[in-house]
Amino acid sequence: MNRRAWIKRGGAAGALALLGGQSIASTLTSSEILKFNPRPLADPIQLNFNENPFGPSAKVRAAMTKAFDDGCRYPDSYSRQIVDMIAQKEGVPKDHIVMAGGSTEGLKVTGLTYANNGGEIIAARPTFLAMMAYAQQWGATVNWVDLDDKLTHDVDEMEKRISSKTKLVFLCNPNNPTSTLLEKNKLMDFCTSASKKTIVFSDEAYYDFIEEKNYPSMISLVKQGENVIVSRTFSKVYGLAGLRIGYLIAKPEIANKLRQNIVADTNILAISAAMTAVKDDEFYNFSLSKVREGKELMYATMDELNLDYIRSSTNFIFFKTGRDITTFNKQMLDNGVRVGRPFPPYTDWCRISMGTIEEVKIFNQTLKKVMS
Ligand SMILES: Cc1ncc(COP(=O)(O)O)c(C=O)c1O
Protein backbone atom coordinates (compact mmCIF):
# COMPACT_ATOMS: atom_id res chain seq x y z
CA MET A 1 0.00 0.00 0.00
CA ASN A 2 1.43 3.40 -0.86
CA ARG A 3 1.55 6.23 1.65
CA ARG A 4 -1.50 8.05 0.28
CA ALA A 5 -3.63 4.88 0.35
CA TRP A 6 -2.44 4.16 3.85
CA ILE A 7 -3.29 7.65 5.05
CA LYS A 8 -6.81 7.26 3.67
CA ARG A 9 -7.41 4.23 5.90
CA GLY A 10 -8.73 4.46 9.41
CA GLY A 11 -5.49 3.29 11.04
CA ALA A 12 -3.62 6.03 9.29
CA ALA A 13 -5.99 8.67 10.59
CA GLY A 14 -4.88 7.52 14.02
CA ALA A 15 -1.27 7.85 13.02
CA LEU A 16 -1.84 11.36 11.71
CA ALA A 17 -3.54 12.31 14.93
CA LEU A 18 -0.67 10.74 16.85
CA LEU A 19 1.78 12.88 14.95
CA GLY A 20 -0.09 15.95 16.10
CA GLY A 21 -1.87 16.37 12.79
CA GLN A 22 1.40 16.78 10.91
CA SER A 23 1.65 14.82 7.69
CA ILE A 24 4.15 11.99 7.64
CA ALA A 25 6.51 13.49 5.09
CA SER A 26 9.41 11.34 4.01
CA THR A 27 12.73 12.34 5.50
CA LEU A 28 14.51 11.11 2.35
CA THR A 29 15.38 13.00 -0.81
CA SER A 30 13.83 11.76 -4.05
CA SER A 31 17.17 10.36 -5.16
CA GLU A 32 17.53 8.46 -1.85
CA ILE A 33 14.04 7.04 -2.32
CA LEU A 34 15.01 5.76 -5.77
CA LYS A 35 18.37 4.39 -4.65
CA PHE A 36 17.44 2.84 -1.33
CA ASN A 37 13.81 1.83 -1.85
CA PRO A 38 12.16 2.46 1.55
CA ARG A 39 9.16 0.24 2.14
CA PRO A 40 5.81 2.08 2.03
CA LEU A 41 3.88 2.63 5.25
CA ALA A 42 1.65 -0.36 5.96
CA ASP A 43 -1.32 -0.65 8.24
CA PRO A 44 -0.33 -1.82 10.78
CA ILE A 45 3.35 -0.93 10.53
CA GLN A 46 5.32 -4.10 11.18
CA LEU A 47 8.29 -3.71 13.47
CA ASN A 48 8.38 -7.32 14.59
CA PHE A 49 10.80 -9.26 12.36
CA ASN A 50 14.07 -7.29 12.51
CA GLU A 51 13.92 -6.68 8.77
CA ASN A 52 15.70 -3.86 6.99
CA PRO A 53 13.01 -1.32 5.97
CA PHE A 54 15.12 -0.40 2.91
CA GLY A 55 16.08 -2.39 -0.15
CA PRO A 56 16.60 -4.06 -2.40
CA SER A 57 18.62 -1.06 -3.60
CA ALA A 58 18.35 0.24 -7.17
CA LYS A 59 21.63 -1.49 -8.06
CA VAL A 60 20.41 -4.79 -6.65
CA ARG A 61 17.08 -4.50 -8.45
CA ALA A 62 18.91 -3.92 -11.73
CA ALA A 63 21.10 -6.99 -11.14
CA MET A 64 18.08 -9.16 -10.37
CA THR A 65 16.28 -7.95 -13.47
CA LYS A 66 19.29 -9.01 -15.55
CA ALA A 67 19.50 -12.40 -13.84
CA PHE A 68 15.82 -12.99 -14.50
CA ASP A 69 16.68 -14.01 -18.07
CA ASP A 70 18.72 -16.94 -16.72
CA GLY A 71 15.73 -18.23 -14.80
CA CYS A 72 15.47 -21.31 -17.03
CA ARG A 73 18.93 -22.47 -15.94
CA TYR A 74 20.06 -24.29 -12.81
CA PRO A 75 22.03 -21.99 -10.54
CA ASP A 76 25.39 -23.85 -10.66
CA SER A 77 27.48 -21.17 -12.34
CA TYR A 78 25.91 -18.49 -10.14
CA SER A 79 26.62 -20.62 -7.06
CA ARG A 80 30.29 -20.96 -7.99
CA GLN A 81 30.59 -17.20 -8.39
CA ILE A 82 29.07 -16.37 -5.04
CA VAL A 83 31.19 -18.93 -3.25
CA ASP A 84 34.28 -17.31 -4.83
CA MET A 85 33.08 -13.89 -3.74
CA ILE A 86 32.31 -14.91 -0.14
CA ALA A 87 35.60 -16.78 0.16
CA GLN A 88 37.35 -13.56 -0.82
CA LYS A 89 35.20 -11.39 1.45
CA GLU A 90 35.75 -13.58 4.52
CA GLY A 91 39.35 -14.57 3.76
CA VAL A 92 38.75 -18.34 3.78
CA PRO A 93 39.20 -21.04 1.11
CA LYS A 94 36.13 -21.90 -0.99
CA ASP A 95 35.72 -25.32 0.61
CA HIS A 96 34.83 -23.59 3.90
CA ILE A 97 31.60 -22.12 2.56
CA VAL A 98 28.13 -23.65 2.54
CA MET A 99 25.44 -21.60 0.78
CA ALA A 100 21.89 -21.89 2.09
CA GLY A 101 18.42 -20.56 1.42
CA GLY A 102 18.73 -18.12 4.31
CA SER A 103 20.77 -18.74 7.44
CA THR A 104 17.71 -20.42 8.96
CA GLU A 105 18.38 -23.28 6.56
CA GLY A 106 21.97 -23.30 7.79
CA LEU A 107 20.78 -23.54 11.40
CA LYS A 108 18.35 -26.32 10.57
CA VAL A 109 20.92 -28.29 8.62
CA THR A 110 23.43 -28.00 11.46
CA GLY A 111 20.89 -29.38 13.95
CA LEU A 112 20.03 -32.17 11.51
CA THR A 113 23.69 -33.02 10.97
CA TYR A 114 24.86 -33.04 14.57
CA ALA A 115 21.83 -33.61 16.80
CA ASN A 116 19.82 -36.01 14.66
CA ASN A 117 20.25 -39.06 16.87
CA GLY A 118 19.47 -37.37 20.15
CA GLY A 119 21.97 -35.70 22.42
CA GLU A 120 21.95 -32.19 23.68
CA ILE A 121 22.24 -28.64 22.42
CA ILE A 122 23.30 -26.01 24.92
CA ALA A 123 21.64 -22.67 24.27
CA ALA A 124 20.78 -19.45 26.05
CA ARG A 125 17.29 -18.50 27.15
CA PRO A 126 16.02 -16.44 25.41
CA THR A 127 17.81 -16.62 22.08
CA PHE A 128 17.03 -17.14 18.38
CA LEU A 129 15.16 -20.42 18.32
CA ALA A 130 15.40 -21.81 14.79
CA MET A 131 17.98 -24.49 15.47
CA MET A 132 16.48 -25.59 18.78
CA ALA A 133 12.94 -25.68 17.42
CA TYR A 134 14.02 -28.07 14.67
CA ALA A 135 16.44 -30.14 16.73
CA GLN A 136 13.72 -30.99 19.22
CA GLN A 137 11.77 -32.56 16.35
CA TRP A 138 14.72 -34.91 15.80
CA GLY A 139 14.85 -36.11 19.37
CA ALA A 140 17.60 -33.83 20.64
CA THR A 141 17.08 -32.04 23.93
CA VAL A 142 18.01 -28.48 24.74
CA ASN A 143 19.97 -27.59 27.83
CA TRP A 144 18.78 -24.01 28.42
CA VAL A 145 21.07 -21.59 30.21
CA ASP A 146 19.48 -18.37 31.44
CA LEU A 147 21.10 -15.10 30.45
CA ASP A 148 23.03 -13.26 33.15
CA ASP A 149 21.76 -10.11 34.87
CA LYS A 150 23.03 -7.96 31.98
CA LEU A 151 20.95 -10.09 29.61
CA THR A 152 24.12 -11.48 28.04
CA HIS A 153 25.11 -15.11 27.51
CA ASP A 154 26.30 -16.72 30.73
CA VAL A 155 29.23 -18.39 29.01
CA ASP A 156 30.78 -19.68 32.25
CA GLU A 157 27.62 -21.62 33.00
CA MET A 158 27.33 -22.74 29.36
CA GLU A 159 30.83 -24.14 29.50
CA LYS A 160 30.14 -25.94 32.79
CA ARG A 161 27.17 -27.69 31.18
CA ILE A 162 29.21 -29.25 28.36
CA SER A 163 29.23 -33.03 28.81
CA SER A 164 29.56 -36.21 26.78
CA LYS A 165 25.92 -35.71 25.72
CA THR A 166 26.61 -32.31 24.17
CA LYS A 167 26.43 -32.21 20.38
CA LEU A 168 26.49 -28.44 19.90
CA VAL A 169 26.65 -25.15 21.74
CA PHE A 170 24.55 -22.43 20.12
CA LEU A 171 25.70 -18.86 20.59
CA CYS A 172 23.85 -15.93 19.05
CA ASN A 173 26.08 -12.89 19.30
CA PRO A 174 24.76 -10.18 19.24
CA ASN A 175 21.83 -12.02 20.77
CA ASN A 176 18.29 -11.97 19.44
CA PRO A 177 16.03 -10.84 21.21
CA THR A 178 18.15 -8.95 23.75
CA SER A 179 20.56 -7.21 21.29
CA THR A 180 23.42 -7.74 23.74
CA LEU A 181 27.02 -8.36 22.77
CA LEU A 182 29.50 -10.49 24.69
CA GLU A 183 32.66 -8.80 25.89
CA LYS A 184 35.19 -9.72 23.19
CA ASN A 185 37.79 -11.49 25.35
CA LYS A 186 35.08 -13.49 27.08
CA LEU A 187 33.69 -14.51 23.70
CA MET A 188 37.09 -15.51 22.37
CA ASP A 189 38.07 -17.47 25.50
CA PHE A 190 34.75 -19.28 25.62
CA CYS A 191 34.69 -20.25 21.94
CA THR A 192 38.32 -21.35 21.98
CA SER A 193 37.85 -23.52 25.02
CA ALA A 194 34.35 -24.90 24.27
CA SER A 195 35.27 -25.83 20.70
CA LYS A 196 37.92 -28.20 22.05
CA LYS A 197 35.08 -30.20 23.66
CA THR A 198 32.16 -29.84 21.24
CA ILE A 199 31.02 -27.90 18.19
CA VAL A 200 30.34 -24.21 18.74
CA PHE A 201 27.81 -22.57 16.44
CA SER A 202 28.17 -18.79 16.28
CA ASP A 203 25.14 -17.06 14.75
CA GLU A 204 26.42 -13.72 13.47
CA ALA A 205 23.26 -12.49 11.74
CA TYR A 206 23.68 -9.02 13.31
CA TYR A 207 27.49 -8.77 13.11
CA ASP A 208 27.40 -5.71 10.81
CA PHE A 209 25.50 -3.65 13.38
CA ILE A 210 28.21 -3.98 16.05
CA GLU A 211 29.64 -0.53 16.74
CA GLU A 212 32.75 -1.64 18.66
CA LYS A 213 35.84 -1.30 16.46
CA ASN A 214 37.63 -4.55 15.54
CA TYR A 215 35.12 -6.74 17.35
CA PRO A 216 36.14 -10.31 16.43
CA SER A 217 34.11 -12.61 14.24
CA MET A 218 34.36 -16.27 15.15
CA ILE A 219 35.47 -16.83 11.55
CA SER A 220 38.93 -16.20 13.03
CA LEU A 221 38.63 -19.49 14.96
CA VAL A 222 37.38 -21.34 11.88
CA LYS A 223 40.57 -20.18 10.16
CA GLN A 224 42.60 -21.71 13.00
CA GLY A 225 40.92 -25.07 12.37
CA GLU A 226 38.69 -25.06 15.46
CA ASN A 227 35.31 -26.84 15.69
CA VAL A 228 33.37 -23.66 15.05
CA ILE A 229 30.55 -22.99 12.57
CA VAL A 230 29.64 -19.38 11.78
CA SER A 231 26.39 -18.30 10.11
CA ARG A 232 25.84 -15.07 8.21
CA THR A 233 22.82 -13.75 6.36
CA PHE A 234 21.89 -11.31 3.59
CA SER A 235 18.52 -10.70 5.29
CA LYS A 236 19.51 -7.90 7.63
CA VAL A 237 21.93 -5.11 6.67
CA TYR A 238 21.72 -6.04 2.97
CA GLY A 239 17.90 -5.85 2.97
CA LEU A 240 17.24 -9.17 1.18
CA ALA A 241 15.12 -11.09 3.72
CA GLY A 242 12.52 -12.11 1.15
CA LEU A 243 15.06 -13.56 -1.25
CA ARG A 244 16.40 -16.22 1.14
CA ILE A 245 20.16 -16.36 1.06
CA GLY A 246 22.74 -16.90 3.77
CA TYR A 247 25.81 -19.04 4.39
CA LEU A 248 27.82 -21.05 6.87
CA ILE A 249 31.57 -21.00 7.31
CA ALA A 250 33.38 -24.00 8.78
CA LYS A 251 36.49 -26.07 8.17
CA PRO A 252 36.09 -28.55 5.27
CA GLU A 253 35.48 -31.69 7.43
CA ILE A 254 32.45 -29.92 8.92
CA ALA A 255 31.41 -27.95 5.83
CA ASN A 256 31.25 -31.11 3.67
CA LYS A 257 28.86 -32.80 6.11
CA LEU A 258 26.66 -29.72 6.33
CA ARG A 259 26.57 -29.26 2.54
CA GLN A 260 25.22 -32.78 2.05
CA ASN A 261 22.14 -31.93 4.09
CA ILE A 262 21.25 -28.67 2.33
CA VAL A 263 17.83 -29.08 0.73
CA ALA A 264 16.36 -25.72 -0.25
CA ASP A 265 19.62 -24.14 -1.42
CA THR A 266 19.26 -20.75 -3.03
CA ASN A 267 18.51 -19.36 -6.49
CA ILE A 268 19.89 -17.11 -9.17
CA LEU A 269 17.87 -14.03 -8.24
CA ALA A 270 19.00 -14.24 -4.62
CA ILE A 271 22.61 -14.88 -5.68
CA SER A 272 22.73 -12.00 -8.16
CA ALA A 273 21.13 -9.75 -5.53
CA ALA A 274 23.62 -10.79 -2.85
CA MET A 275 26.65 -10.41 -5.13
CA THR A 276 25.62 -6.88 -6.01
CA ALA A 277 24.58 -5.98 -2.45
CA VAL A 278 28.04 -6.84 -1.12
CA LYS A 279 29.56 -4.26 -3.48
CA ASP A 280 26.88 -1.63 -2.83
CA ASP A 281 28.69 0.28 -0.07
CA GLU A 282 26.37 3.24 -0.41
CA PHE A 283 23.33 1.13 0.51
CA TYR A 284 25.22 -0.70 3.26
CA ASN A 285 26.35 2.54 4.91
CA PHE A 286 22.93 4.12 4.44
CA SER A 287 21.24 1.14 6.17
CA LEU A 288 23.63 1.33 9.11
CA SER A 289 23.22 5.08 9.46
CA LYS A 290 19.40 4.83 9.41
CA VAL A 291 19.48 2.09 12.06
CA ARG A 292 21.69 4.34 14.22
CA GLU A 293 19.38 7.32 13.68
CA GLY A 294 16.24 5.28 14.41
CA LYS A 295 17.72 3.80 17.58
CA GLU A 296 18.66 7.25 18.91
CA LEU A 297 15.10 8.48 18.31
CA MET A 298 13.66 5.49 20.14
CA TYR A 299 16.13 5.74 23.02
CA ALA A 300 15.13 9.41 23.46
CA THR A 301 11.45 8.43 23.74
CA MET A 302 12.24 5.59 26.14
CA ASP A 303 14.32 8.00 28.26
CA GLU A 304 11.43 10.45 28.27
CA LEU A 305 9.12 7.65 29.47
CA ASN A 306 11.68 6.42 32.00
CA LEU A 307 11.76 2.95 30.47
CA ASP A 308 14.71 0.58 30.87
CA TYR A 309 16.30 -0.59 27.65
CA ILE A 310 19.46 -2.24 26.40
CA ARG A 311 21.79 -0.17 24.21
CA SER A 312 21.54 -2.31 21.13
CA SER A 313 24.26 -3.92 19.01
CA THR A 314 21.65 -4.87 16.41
CA ASN A 315 18.82 -3.39 14.32
CA PHE A 316 16.28 -3.75 17.13
CA ILE A 317 15.88 -2.65 20.75
CA PHE A 318 14.84 -4.73 23.76
CA PHE A 319 13.09 -2.58 26.33
CA LYS A 320 11.10 -3.03 29.51
CA THR A 321 7.50 -1.90 29.51
CA GLY A 322 6.70 -3.39 32.91
CA ARG A 323 3.50 -4.72 31.34
CA ASP A 324 2.60 -8.21 30.25
CA ILE A 325 3.83 -8.45 26.66
CA THR A 326 0.62 -10.05 25.37
CA THR A 327 -1.38 -7.09 26.66
CA PHE A 328 1.19 -4.60 25.42
CA ASN A 329 1.30 -6.27 22.00
CA LYS A 330 -2.45 -5.87 21.63
CA GLN A 331 -2.42 -2.27 22.83
CA MET A 332 0.24 -1.37 20.26
CA LEU A 333 -1.50 -3.31 17.48
CA ASP A 334 -4.83 -1.63 18.25
CA ASN A 335 -2.95 1.61 17.58
CA GLY A 336 -1.41 0.44 14.31
CA VAL A 337 2.02 -0.92 15.35
CA ARG A 338 3.00 -4.59 15.42
CA VAL A 339 5.84 -5.26 17.89
CA GLY A 340 7.85 -8.40 18.68
CA ARG A 341 6.38 -11.56 20.18
CA PRO A 342 6.83 -12.62 23.85
CA PHE A 343 10.31 -13.84 24.83
CA PRO A 344 9.95 -15.74 28.10
CA PRO A 345 11.10 -15.35 30.80
CA TYR A 346 11.20 -11.60 29.94
CA THR A 347 7.45 -11.31 29.68
CA ASP A 348 7.34 -7.62 30.58
CA TRP A 349 9.92 -6.68 27.95
CA CYS A 350 9.38 -5.95 24.27
CA ARG A 351 11.53 -6.30 21.14
CA ILE A 352 11.07 -3.55 18.59
CA SER A 353 12.71 -3.60 15.14
CA MET A 354 14.05 -0.47 13.46
CA GLY A 355 11.91 0.91 10.70
CA THR A 356 12.07 3.83 8.31
CA ILE A 357 12.34 7.12 10.20
CA GLU A 358 8.61 7.69 9.53
CA GLU A 359 7.80 4.30 11.11
CA VAL A 360 10.08 5.06 14.05
CA LYS A 361 8.24 8.35 14.64
CA ILE A 362 4.88 6.61 14.55
CA PHE A 363 6.19 3.98 16.96
CA ASN A 364 7.42 6.68 19.35
CA GLN A 365 4.09 8.48 19.36
CA THR A 366 2.18 5.23 19.79
CA LEU A 367 4.43 4.16 22.65
CA LYS A 368 3.83 7.47 24.43
CA LYS A 369 0.09 7.06 23.97
CA VAL A 370 -0.03 3.43 25.12
CA MET A 371 2.24 4.00 28.13
CA SER A 372 0.36 7.11 29.30
C1 LIG B 1 19.90 -14.40 15.13
C2 LIG B 1 19.26 -14.72 13.83
N1 LIG B 1 19.77 -15.68 13.08
C3 LIG B 1 19.22 -16.01 11.89
C4 LIG B 1 18.09 -15.37 11.45
C5 LIG B 1 17.46 -15.83 10.18
O1 LIG B 1 17.99 -15.21 9.10
P1 LIG B 1 17.69 -15.71 7.63
O2 LIG B 1 16.74 -14.73 7.05
O3 LIG B 1 19.03 -15.69 6.98
O4 LIG B 1 17.12 -17.08 7.67
C6 LIG B 1 17.51 -14.36 12.20
C7 LIG B 1 16.30 -13.68 11.73
O5 LIG B 1 15.67 -12.90 12.38
C8 LIG B 1 18.10 -14.04 13.44
O6 LIG B 1 17.57 -13.10 14.24
Side-chain angles (χ1 to χ4, degrees):
M1 193 184 303
N2 66 28
R3 179 174 290 120
R4 186 163 302 151
W6 187 84
I7 283 170
K8 274 190 186 155
R9 288 197 44 165
L16 275 180
L18 284 169
L19 288 173
Q22 289 165 20
S23 65
I24 319 165
S26 175
T27 50
L28 302 183
T29 63
S30 49
S31 105
E32 283 175 328
I33 291 173
L34 282 177
K35 269 193 286 193
F36 306 130
N37 196 23
R39 65 185 170 208
L41 283 175
D43 180 15
I45 57 169
Q46 306 205 18
L47 300 178
N48 57 330
F49 282 145
N50 303 342
E51 294 152 337
N52 189 333
F54 303 101
S57 70
K59 284 182 189 161
V60 168
R61 293 201 305 279
M64 280 197 287
T65 307
K66 197 154 165 260
F68 201 71
D69 285 342
D70 283 338
C72 61
R73 297 194 178 276
Y74 287 108
D76 300 47
S77 71
Y78 278 75
S79 302
R80 280 193 292 275
Q81 286 176 47
I82 195 158
V83 167
D84 281 349
M85 190 208 70
I86 291 170
Q88 216 174 348
K89 174 177 182 289
E90 307 295 3
V92 293
K94 288 186 279 192
D95 57 3
H96 284 49
I97 291 156
V98 182
M99 294 308 301
S103 61
T104 299
E105 192 192 15
L107 292 160
K108 186 172 186 176
V109 156
T110 305
L112 174 65
T113 307
Y114 289 98
N116 193 16
N117 299 315
E120 211 174 77
I121 299 176
I122 297 176
R125 178 169 46 202
T127 194
F128 186 66
L129 289 178
M131 179 190 289
M132 282 63 78
Y134 294 125
Q136 278 173 311
Q137 289 172 18
W138 303 318
T141 51
V142 182
N143 190 339
W144 297 107
V145 179
D146 287 334
L147 298 177
D148 65 17
D149 55 2
K150 292 201 176 80
L151 274 57
T152 322
H153 285 80
D154 185 347
V155 285
D156 295 335
E157 183 58 29
M158 289 175 99
E159 181 145 22
K160 269 192 221 150
R161 302 256 189 115
I162 297 174
S163 72
S164 57
K165 284 186 284 181
T166 310
K167 298 285 180 70
L168 286 165
V169 175
F170 177 76
L171 198 71
C172 180
N173 188 49
N175 190 36
N176 180 6
T178 55
S179 80
T180 45
L181 185 68
L182 270 164
E183 193 275 313
K184 69 177 176 193
N185 295 323
K186 223 171 175 183
L187 166 73
M188 200 54 120
D189 290 350
F190 169 72
C191 290
T192 307
S193 159
S195 64
K196 307 253 184 285
K197 302 173 205 161
T198 186
I199 291 182
V200 174
F201 190 102
S202 178
D203 182 331
E204 298 185 358
Y206 299 100
Y207 183 80
D208 297 83
F209 299 100
I210 298 172
E211 300 272 348
E212 186 179 323
K213 289 254 171 317
N214 302 321
Y215 189 86
S217 161
M218 290 305 94
I219 296 171
S220 57
L221 293 187
V222 174
K223 288 179 190 168
Q224 291 169 27
E226 305 291 357
N227 290 315
V228 173
I229 303 170
V230 174
S231 66
R232 290 287 182 91
T233 180
F234 286 96
S235 298
K236 306 296 176 186
V237 73
Y238 296 110
L240 303 178
L243 288 158
R244 312 310 300 133
I245 180 161
Y247 55 96
L248 303 174
I249 300 191
K251 62 185 176 186
E253 301 91 287
I254 295 178
N256 290 340
K257 282 192 203 160
L258 297 171
R259 208 174 285 115
Q260 279 166 19
N261 286 328
I262 290 283
V263 177
D265 213 335
T266 187
N267 61 79
I268 60 166
L269 291 188
I271 294 173
S272 61
M275 290 192 60
T276 308
V278 164
K279 289 181 274 175
D280 193 351
D281 291 341
E282 209 185 355
F283 178 83
Y284 179 91
N285 291 326
F286 176 83
S287 291
L288 290 182
S289 78
K290 286 294 157 193
V291 165
R292 250 179 255 127
E293 189 181 336
K295 287 198 291 194
E296 289 304 325
L297 291 171
M298 286 193 187
Y299 293 151
T301 298
M302 290 167 191
D303 283 339
E304 211 180 306
L305 294 170
N306 256 323
L307 300 177
D308 277 348
Y309 57 86
I310 309 267
R311 279 200 80 86
S312 158
S313 294
T314 61
N315 65 344
F316 56 87
I317 297 176
F318 200 50
F319 69 104
K320 187 174 182 177
T321 63
R323 275 186 206 172
D324 175 64
I325 180 67
T326 313
T327 312
F328 180 74
N329 248 313
K330 183 167 182 321
Q331 290 170 328
M332 291 296 285
L333 192 56
D334 287 347
N335 285 281
V337 180
R338 196 184 292 281
V339 301
R341 65 173 179 83
F343 292 100
Y346 296 93
T347 49
D348 58 351
W349 287 68
C350 174
R351 188 191 71 189
I352 187 76
S353 311
M354 268 333 100
T356 60
I357 297 304
E358 294 80 26
E359 290 173 332
V360 167
K361 286 181 179 166
I362 293 172
F363 165 78
N364 280 343
Q365 295 301 329
T366 308
L367 183 65
K368 284 186 196 169
K369 182 180 169 199
V370 164
M371 293 308 289
S372 67

Coordinates of all heavy atoms in Angstrom, one line a residue, residues 49-50 101-105 107 128 172 174 176 203 205-206 231-236 241 244-246, ligand 1:
F49 N 10.0 -8.2 12.9 CA 10.8 -9.3 12.4 C 12.3 -8.9 12.1 O 13.0 -9.6 11.5 CB 10.2 -9.8 11.0 CG 9.0 -10.7 11.2 CD1 8.0 -10.7 10.3 CD2 9.0 -11.6 12.2 CE1 6.9 -11.5 10.4 CE2 7.9 -12.5 12.4 CZ 6.9 -12.4 11.5
N50 N 12.7 -7.7 12.7 CA 14.1 -7.3 12.5 C 14.5 -7.2 11.0 O 15.7 -7.6 10.7 CB 15.0 -8.2 13.3 CG 14.7 -8.3 14.8 OD1 14.0 -7.4 15.3 ND2 15.2 -9.3 15.4
G101 N 19.6 -21.4 1.7 CA 18.4 -20.6 1.4 C 18.0 -19.8 2.7 O 17.0 -20.0 3.3
G102 N 18.9 -18.9 3.1 CA 18.7 -18.1 4.3 C 19.5 -18.8 5.4 O 19.7 -20.0 5.3
S103 N 20.0 -18.1 6.4 CA 20.8 -18.7 7.4 C 19.9 -19.7 8.3 O 20.4 -20.6 8.9 CB 21.5 -17.7 8.3 OG 20.7 -16.9 9.0
T104 N 18.6 -19.5 8.3 CA 17.7 -20.4 9.0 C 17.9 -21.8 8.4 O 18.0 -22.8 9.2 CB 16.2 -20.0 8.8 OG1 16.1 -18.7 9.4 CG2 15.3 -21.0 9.5
E105 N 18.1 -21.9 7.1 CA 18.4 -23.3 6.6 C 19.7 -23.8 7.1 O 19.8 -25.0 7.4 CB 18.4 -23.3 5.0 CG 18.4 -24.7 4.5 CD 18.6 -24.9 3.0 OE1 19.1 -24.0 2.4 OE2 18.4 -26.0 2.6
L107 N 21.0 -23.1 10.0 CA 20.8 -23.5 11.4 C 20.1 -24.9 11.4 O 20.5 -25.8 12.2 CB 19.9 -22.5 12.1 CG 20.5 -21.1 12.3 CD1 19.4 -20.1 12.6 CD2 21.4 -21.2 13.5
F128 N 17.7 -16.8 19.7 CA 17.0 -17.1 18.4 C 16.8 -18.6 18.3 O 17.7 -19.4 18.4 CB 17.9 -16.7 17.2 CG 17.2 -16.8 15.9 CD1 16.1 -16.0 15.6 CD2 17.7 -17.7 14.9 CE1 15.4 -16.2 14.4 CE2 17.1 -17.8 13.7 CZ 15.9 -17.0 13.4
C172 N 24.3 -17.0 20.0 CA 23.8 -15.9 19.0 C 24.4 -14.6 19.5 O 24.0 -14.1 20.6 CB 22.3 -15.9 19.1 SG 21.6 -14.7 18.0
P174 N 25.7 -10.7 18.2 CA 24.8 -10.2 19.2 C 23.5 -11.1 19.3 O 23.1 -11.6 18.3 CB 24.4 -8.8 18.7 CG 25.4 -8.4 17.7 CD 25.9 -9.7 17.2
N176 N 19.7 -12.3 19.7 CA 18.3 -12.0 19.4 C 17.5 -12.7 20.5 O 17.6 -14.0 20.5 CB 17.9 -12.4 18.0 CG 16.5 -12.2 17.7 OD1 15.8 -11.5 18.4 ND2 16.1 -12.7 16.5
D203 N 26.1 -17.7 15.7 CA 25.1 -17.1 14.8 C 25.5 -15.6 14.7 O 25.3 -14.9 15.7 CB 23.7 -17.3 15.3 CG 22.7 -16.7 14.4 OD1 22.9 -15.7 13.7 OD2 21.5 -17.3 14.3
A205 N 24.2 -13.2 12.6 CA 23.3 -12.5 11.7 C 23.4 -11.0 11.9 O 23.1 -10.2 10.9 CB 21.8 -12.9 12.1
Y206 N 23.7 -10.5 13.1 CA 23.7 -9.0 13.3 C 25.1 -8.4 13.4 O 25.3 -7.3 13.9 CB 22.9 -8.7 14.6 CG 21.4 -9.2 14.4 CD1 21.0 -10.4 15.0 CD2 20.5 -8.4 13.7 CE1 19.7 -10.8 14.8 CE2 19.2 -8.9 13.5 CZ 18.8 -10.1 14.1 OH 17.5 -10.5 13.9
S231 N 27.4 -18.6 11.1 CA 26.4 -18.3 10.1 C 26.3 -16.8 9.9 O 26.4 -16.0 10.8 CB 25.0 -18.9 10.5 OG 24.6 -18.2 11.7
R232 N 26.0 -16.5 8.6 CA 25.8 -15.1 8.2 C 24.6 -15.0 7.3 O 24.3 -16.0 6.7 CB 27.1 -14.6 7.5 CG 28.3 -14.3 8.3 CD 28.1 -13.1 9.2 NE 29.3 -12.9 10.0 CZ 30.3 -12.1 9.7 NH1 30.3 -11.5 8.5 NH2 31.3 -11.8 10.5
T233 N 24.0 -13.9 7.2 CA 22.8 -13.7 6.4 C 22.8 -12.5 5.5 O 23.5 -11.5 5.9 CB 21.6 -13.7 7.3 OG1 20.4 -13.6 6.4 CG2 21.6 -12.6 8.3
F234 N 22.1 -12.5 4.4 CA 21.9 -11.3 3.6 C 20.6 -10.7 3.9 O 20.1 -9.7 3.3 CB 21.9 -11.7 2.1 CG 23.3 -11.9 1.6 CD1 23.8 -13.2 1.5 CD2 24.2 -10.9 1.3 CE1 25.1 -13.4 1.1 CE2 25.5 -11.1 0.9 CZ 26.0 -12.4 0.8
S235 N 19.9 -11.2 5.0 CA 18.5 -10.7 5.3 C 18.5 -9.4 6.0 O 17.5 -8.7 6.1 CB 17.8 -11.7 6.1 OG 17.7 -12.9 5.5
K236 N 19.6 -9.0 6.7 CA 19.5 -7.9 7.6 C 20.1 -6.6 7.0 O 19.4 -5.9 6.3 CB 20.2 -8.3 8.9 CG 19.7 -9.6 9.6 CD 18.2 -9.5 10.0 CE 17.7 -10.8 10.5 NZ 16.3 -10.8 10.8
A241 N 15.8 -10.0 2.9 CA 15.1 -11.1 3.7 C 14.2 -12.0 2.9 O 14.1 -13.2 3.1 CB 14.4 -10.5 4.9
R244 N 15.9 -15.0 0.5 CA 16.4 -16.2 1.1 C 17.8 -16.6 0.7 O 18.0 -17.5 -0.2 CB 15.4 -17.4 0.9 CG 14.0 -17.2 1.2 CD 13.8 -16.5 2.6 NE 14.2 -17.3 3.7 CZ 15.0 -16.8 4.7 NH1 15.3 -15.5 4.7 NH2 15.4 -17.5 5.7
I245 N 18.8 -16.0 1.3 CA 20.2 -16.4 1.1 C 21.0 -16.0 2.3 O 20.9 -15.0 2.9 CB 20.7 -15.7 -0.2 CG1 22.2 -16.1 -0.5 CG2 20.6 -14.2 -0.3 CD1 22.6 -16.0 -1.9
G246 N 21.8 -17.0 2.6 CA 22.7 -16.9 3.8 C 23.8 -18.0 3.6 O 23.8 -18.7 2.6
Ligands
LIG1 C1 19.9 -14.4 15.1 C2 19.3 -14.7 13.8 N1 19.8 -15.7 13.1 C3 19.2 -16.0 11.9 C4 18.1 -15.4 11.5 C5 17.5 -15.8 10.2 O1 18.0 -15.2 9.1 P1 17.7 -15.7 7.6 O2 16.7 -14.7 7.0 O3 19.0 -15.7 7.0 O4 17.1 -17.1 7.7 C6 17.5 -14.4 12.2 C7 16.3 -13.7 11.7 O5 15.7 -12.9 12.4 C8 18.1 -14.0 13.4 O6 17.6 -13.1 14.2

